[in-house]
Amino acid sequence: MISAPGLPHPTVTVVIPVKDDARQLRRCLRALALQTRRADEILIVDNGSSDASARVAGEAGATVVQCVTPGISAASAQGYDLAHGDIVLRLDADCLPSTTWVAVMVEAFQRNPHVAAFTGGARFVDGPRLLRAPLAAVYLGAYAAAMFPALGHLPLFGSNMGFRRTAWRSIRSRVHRRDTELHDDLDLSYHLGEWYRIRLLPRAAVGMSMRPFADRRAFARRVANGFRTVVVHWPQDFPPVRWAKLILRRTIGPRTFRVVAR
């Protein structure tokens, strides 16, 4: 059985997709080992690494699964499918969660039975020290501001988010898991946010690398993929249509997550 909100001991799975990022993954797994509330399961989804990523994960006691379909969308979705935890948390390999990250996420889900997903913020842990905080605020703020009109709600941030496994199971057939040109967290935002509530959880702190800004071409490609992720959901989620659907569904009332069979 899955623990209902309010029950004292929901189980937690952390999913981390990885490809050729052994050094950063080792740091991330060390941070997870120092959690005040440790995850019950850590799933590393190896998306065709040629380095020691799988070995590093195994040495840290994580469960390693291979994803032969290329792309972070496929790797992430496979991890979510295989997760056993009542709550599924997601990090990237270059993330450094604070020691209370898992505990804060679990407490938030227990206190908010009508919320299906929480998304946290981030701080940069490398790059010019004086620019770390303002750049992180601009980066995440711009992402949220740009995506809110398209979604009608807050977007999920893939480097720091969590959701109920029951919610994932209800929408997993709709995500674009084989499209390598989409942002998987934004795609998931479309499908989870259509039916469930997504909320911000600032106290769930995670550090991340400034690598997305290091390569102009790579950053431009990320922006282009963001626009493509939006457009691929049209016309069924064209903003006026989506907003109308959300208003209608929210008048019915929020869904509460109760005990259901595995």
Side-chain angles (χ1 to χ4, degrees), residues 3-261:
S3 299
L7 292 184
H9 302 296
T11 53
V12 177
T13 297
V14 176
V15 172
I16 306 175
V18 64
K19 183 176 181 180
D20 296 332
D21 215 354
R23 184 176 65 86
Q24 300 283 359
L25 178 63
R26 180 178 285 110
R27 295 173 61 203
C28 180
L29 292 173
R30 286 174 181 166
L32 287 174
L34 296 174
Q35 294 292 300
T36 58
R37 196 288 194 196
R38 297 183 67 172
D40 300 280
E41 177 183 47
I42 299 176
L43 277 179
I44 306 300
V45 187
D46 187 3
N47 199 205
S49 294
S50 58
D51 69 354
S53 293
R55 178 175 58 80
V56 166
E59 290 174 352
T63 300
V64 182
V65 296
Q66 300 294 325
C67 178
V68 298
T69 304
I72 195 168
S73 295
S76 299
Q78 181 170 324
Y80 306 155
D81 285 342
L82 296 174
H84 293 96
D86 305 326
I87 297 168
V88 180
L89 304 182
R90 157 73 187 280
L91 288 171
D92 287 327
D94 63 353
C95 290
L96 287 173
S98 67
T99 57
T100 59
W101 180 67
V102 173
V104 167
M105 282 284 197
V106 170
E107 180 186 15
F109 280 107
Q110 290 181 297
R111 289 180 175 271
N112 297 274
H114 300 305
V115 176
F118 283 100
T119 188
R123 65 189 187 282
F124 289 121
V125 296
D126 54 17
R129 186 174 297 276
L130 292 178
L131 294 179
R132 292 177 186 178
L135 272 180
V138 169
Y139 177 51
L140 295 177
Y143 171 57
M147 292 301 106
F148 191 93
L151 292 168
H153 54 76
L154 187 72
L156 291 164
F157 176 49
S159 296
N160 183 3
M161 68 181 188
F163 50 85
R164 300 181 190 273
R165 187 168 63 94
T166 47
W168 165 254
R169 288 168 64 93
S170 72
I171 57 92
R172 63 182 177 181
S173 63
R174 303 181 190 135
V175 300
H176 298 76
R177 63 176 71 204
R178 293 185 177 273
D179 194 326
T180 60
E181 301 301 317
L182 296 188
H183 287 303
D184 64 297
D185 50 356
L186 182 53
D187 182 48
L188 183 60
S189 300
Y190 269 99
H191 300 291
L192 275 181
E194 182 177 0
W195 296 100
Y196 305 113
R197 289 183 175 180
I198 298 172
R199 293 291 183 265
L200 179 65
L201 189 58
R203 293 187 300 116
V206 164
M208 68 177 186
S209 172
M210 204 180 282
R211 290 186 299 176
F213 297 95
D215 186 328
R216 292 183 179 180
R217 291 184 179 181
F219 186 73
R221 186 167 60 250
R222 288 170 64 89
V223 174
N225 288 348
F227 281 107
R228 187 174 184 278
T229 307
V230 171
V231 173
V232 81
H233 291 89
W234 294 355
Q236 67 273 19
D237 280 310
F238 188 65
V241 177
R242 182 174 178 85
W243 279 74
K245 290 192 297 184
L246 292 176
I247 291 171
L248 177 62
R249 285 171 182 159
R250 287 168 186 173
T251 60
I252 299 172
R255 295 188 177 188
T256 300
F257 291 83
R258 303 186 184 281
V259 178
V260 297

